[in-house]
């Protein structure tokens, strides 16, 4: 199995290296589905140029990376420009390897411990069911076109995915300080990962054991507080370092302010750009609040209440919802959470929308560039056509998230109530609507 994984790494690395040195690199990097104002490498190079010329890159509307990111990227561009492509490839491969180990640990913990109904033996996971999902996770990341194009386009989403992958790994290992530090770094870059503090707190609390039930409850409460304090302290420290590097706090408006206010309405695979292009200015603030609450907070409480016993599924669900509803999403964000899904391979038999979702993903991925060409170059279409594709793409993702959550609920219900159910003497089938 290890040899197979290393072979996959080699093949995936070769594919990325070939595309990075091909004529397709610039075309891929210019695609609006891949590059956004927040992750574009072209924006990074412009910011680094202004920084080296002694001009504040945060004045105006050109640069939106954090000062910490600017410092690192400037060093890369100035000292090792010939290795930048290799760095992107290595970071992508490391992300896949981290996700592979995360899946291995998760599958080893996925043991049926509760007392279930008598006729549910067929539903219980066997040891053979726990071997292949980690390989599928690595493969889903390494060979997903969304991830490959994000790497070839040299978007900073590659580094964001690396931070998220380490957050998942450190969370499942129970390393509080390291997990909170990496999560703070991910939050510093794109703000929305702050919601992952909730599943991380639950995981870290569950990792701590005590002998008595009362002691355990008090320990969990203190564990939640300690995790939150650690995360906030790490984030404040990173913000302070960023302010020192930038010589002030102007970067907050150019980074977090840019994410929250959505001033750049160039098309992407998200939903913000079209609505705010058509929105009357008088109502803009209201809808900014509505969209941002929907992206960050609306689903957090209900999902936490329902999935507090499955913090990894909660974290994956929140990551998926971030990729759908954030202000400047890209295909690299979508590819990351898609790679996590094989960890719940045992739920696939309960999913009902797999074929529909697969067709939606395939059709929208093909139609997006076509409709863009018709709109921008041929002038035979308009913004409504392209938004229709992005709306269908977002709908497919929502169908996927709800389907996997319903599959989890149906399997859980079957485990506790048995497979054979009768109503008025007739066999019934469980259907969630």
């Amino acid at each position: 199995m290890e040899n197979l994984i290393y072979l996959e790494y080699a093949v995936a690395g070769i594919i990325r290296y070939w595309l990075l040195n091909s004529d397709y690199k610039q075309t891929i990097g210019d695609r609006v589905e891949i590059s956004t104002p927040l992750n574009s490498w072209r924006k990074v190079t412009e910011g680094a140029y202004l920084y080296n010329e002694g001009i504040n890159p945060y004045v105006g509307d050109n640069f939106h990376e954090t000062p910490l990111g600017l410092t690192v990227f400037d060093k890369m561009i100035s000292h090792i420009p010939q290795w930048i492509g290799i760095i992107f490839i290595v970071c992508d491969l490391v992300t896949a390897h981290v996700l592979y180990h995360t899946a291995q640990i998760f599958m080893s913990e996925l043991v049926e411990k509760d007392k279930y109904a008598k006729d549910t033996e067929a539903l219980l996971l066997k040891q053979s069911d726990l071997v292949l999902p980690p390989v599928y996770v690595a493969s889903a990341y390494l060979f997903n076109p969304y991830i490959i194009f994000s790497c070839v386009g040299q978007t900073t989403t590659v580094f964001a995915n690396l931070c998220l992958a380490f957050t998942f790994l450190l969370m499942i290992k129970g390393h509080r300080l390291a997990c909170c530090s990496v999560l703070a770094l991910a939050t510093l870059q794109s703000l929305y990962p702050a919601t992952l503090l909730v599943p991380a707190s639950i995981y870290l609390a569950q990792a701590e054991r005590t002998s008595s039930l009362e002691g355990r409850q008090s320990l969990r409460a203190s564990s939640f507080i300690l995790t939150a304090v650690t995360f906030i302290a790490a984030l404040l420290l990173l913000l302070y370092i960023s302010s020192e590097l930038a010589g002030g706090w102007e970067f907050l408006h150019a980074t977090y302010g840019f994410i929250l206010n959505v001033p750049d309405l160039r098309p992407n695979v998200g939903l913000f750009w079209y609505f705010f292009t058509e929105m009357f200015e008088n109502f803009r603030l209201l809808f900014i609040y509505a969209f941002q609450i929907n992206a960050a907070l609306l689903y957090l409480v209900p999902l936490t209440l329902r999935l507090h016993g499955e913090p990894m599924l909660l974290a994956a669900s929140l990551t998926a919802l971030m990729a759908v509803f954030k202000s400047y999403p890209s295909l690299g964000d979508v590819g990351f959470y898609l790679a996590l899904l094989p960890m719940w391979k045992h739920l696939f038999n309960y999913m009902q929308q797999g074929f529909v979702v697969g067709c939606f993903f395939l059709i929208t991925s093909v139609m997006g560039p076509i409709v863009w060409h018709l709109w921008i170059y041929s002038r035979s279409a308009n913004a409504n056509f392209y938004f229709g594709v992005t709306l269908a793409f977002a709908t497919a993702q929502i169908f996927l998230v709800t389907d996997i959550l319903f599959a989890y609920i149906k399997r859980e219900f079957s485990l506790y109530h048995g497979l054979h159910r009768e109503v008025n003497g007739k066999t019934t089938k469980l259907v969630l609507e």
Side-chain angles (χ1 to χ4, degrees):
M1 195 65 67
E2 292 291 335
N3 292 334
L4 175 61
I5 287 296
Y6 292 133
L7 178 61
E8 289 185 350
Y9 293 155
V11 174
I14 291 172
I15 292 174
R16 285 163 169 78
Y17 183 80
W18 173 69
L19 287 172
L20 274 168
N21 292 276
S22 69
D23 297 333
Y24 303 110
K25 175 188 173 182
Q26 192 61 46
T27 302
I28 294 172
D30 290 339
R31 292 300 311 169
V32 294
E33 301 89 351
I34 304 297
S35 296
T36 70
L38 285 177
N39 69 0
S40 171
W41 188 250
R42 179 177 294 176
K43 293 281 188 180
V44 170
T45 56
E46 290 175 0
Y49 175 80
L50 293 174
Y51 177 74
N52 287 318
E53 292 296 318
I55 303 172
N56 187 351
Y58 297 106
V59 175
D61 193 31
N62 247 353
F63 186 71
H64 309 291
E65 285 287 343
T66 62
L68 192 60
L70 173 62
T71 303
V72 174
F73 296 142
D74 178 61
K75 298 297 183 184
M76 291 169 54
I77 295 171
S78 301
H79 296 92
I80 49 172
Q82 70 278 13
W83 294 101
I84 290 177
I86 300 298
I87 291 174
F88 276 92
I89 294 173
V90 170
C91 285
D92 236 14
L93 299 183
V94 171
T95 302
H97 196 61
V98 171
L99 291 179
Y100 171 73
H101 279 295
T102 302
Q104 277 188 320
I105 298 172
F106 176 73
M107 300 311 294
S108 67
E109 295 179 351
L110 202 62
V111 180
E112 315 288 5
K113 299 177 181 179
D114 293 341
K115 295 180 180 179
Y116 299 122
K118 294 181 180 179
D119 61 342
T120 58
E121 289 80 5
L123 299 180
L124 300 180
L125 295 174
K126 305 175 182 62
Q127 189 62 37
S128 57
D129 299 323
L130 309 178
V131 176
L132 287 179
V135 179
Y136 294 152
V137 167
S139 301
Y141 190 87
L142 291 171
F143 299 108
N144 189 325
Y146 297 163
I147 297 295
I148 294 175
F149 292 156
S150 182
C151 177
V152 173
Q154 292 186 339
T155 65
T156 57
T157 302
V158 172
F159 306 112
N161 287 346
L162 180 62
C163 290
L164 287 178
F166 271 110
T167 299
F168 276 73
L169 178 62
L170 295 168
M171 175 180 71
I172 200 170
K173 283 190 170 185
H175 299 326
R176 176 179 284 108
L177 179 59
C179 176
C180 291
S181 299
V182 177
L183 180 57
L185 186 60
T187 303
L188 180 73
Q189 184 177 10
S190 57
L191 187 60
Y192 294 101
T195 58
L196 296 180
L197 177 62
V198 175
S201 300
I202 297 173
Y203 233 123
L204 293 169
Q206 289 180 349
E208 299 177 348
R209 309 291 184 187
T210 56
S211 56
S212 66
L213 179 61
E214 293 80 12
R216 184 179 305 160
Q217 295 298 333
S218 62
L219 179 61
R220 285 185 176 180
S222 63
S223 177
F224 291 143
I225 296 173
L226 183 57
T227 301
V229 170
T230 304
F231 168 76
I232 294 172
L235 182 59
L236 290 177
L237 177 61
L238 290 174
L239 287 172
Y240 175 75
I241 294 173
S242 296
S243 69
E244 290 295 312
L245 292 173
W249 295 94
E250 297 89 353
F251 74 94
L252 289 177
H253 178 73
T255 53
Y256 295 160
F258 185 82
I259 293 172
L260 294 174
N261 293 322
V262 201
D264 193 319
L265 299 179
R266 276 174 286 186
N268 52 57
V269 294
L271 303 176
F272 278 70
W273 66 272
Y274 184 83
F275 281 101
F276 288 101
T277 299
E278 302 292 329
M279 184 64 57
F280 290 109
E281 191 64 29
N282 293 339
F283 302 101
R284 179 179 173 84
L285 185 60
L286 170 65
F287 280 88
I288 283 287
Y289 278 110
F291 272 62
Q292 294 293 2
I293 290 173
N294 179 71
L297 300 176
L298 185 62
Y299 309 101
L300 183 60
V301 174
L303 285 177
T304 301
L305 292 176
R306 185 61 187 84
L307 300 174
H308 64 274
E310 291 287 339
M312 182 58 75
L313 182 57
L314 173 62
S317 302
L318 293 175
T319 304
L321 292 172
M322 273 190 278
V324 178
F325 294 117
K326 66 195 296 187
S327 52
Y328 294 100
S330 69
L331 292 183
D333 302 311
V334 179
F336 180 82
Y337 80 79
L338 289 179
L340 301 173
L341 296 183
M343 287 195 286
W344 294 276
K345 180 177 174 293
H346 55 283
L347 300 179
F348 288 177
N349 290 334
Y350 294 85
M351 296 176 66
Q352 297 178 332
Q353 309 293 338
F355 178 75
V356 175
V357 170
C359 290
F360 264 63
F361 270 97
L362 180 61
I363 292 171
T364 53
S365 297
V366 173
M367 287 299 298
I370 294 174
V371 173
W372 177 264
H373 181 84
L374 293 175
W375 174 26
I376 299 299
Y377 298 102
S378 298
R379 304 294 178 89
S380 57
N382 56 41
N384 297 320
F385 287 74
Y386 190 76
F387 178 69
V389 174
T390 61
L391 184 60
F393 186 64
T395 303
Q397 295 180 74
I398 295 300
F399 277 14
L400 177 61
V401 175
T402 54
D403 205 16
I404 195 76
L405 293 179
F406 281 163
Y408 167 76
I409 294 172
K410 285 187 283 186
R411 181 176 183 271
E412 184 183 47
F413 184 89
S414 298
L415 285 172
Y416 285 104
H417 295 86
L419 295 173
H420 185 68
R421 290 177 291 273
E422 291 185 356
V423 175
N424 297 327
K426 297 181 180 180
T427 302
T428 61
K429 180 181 179 182
L430 176 63
V431 177
L432 293 177
E433 297 181 354

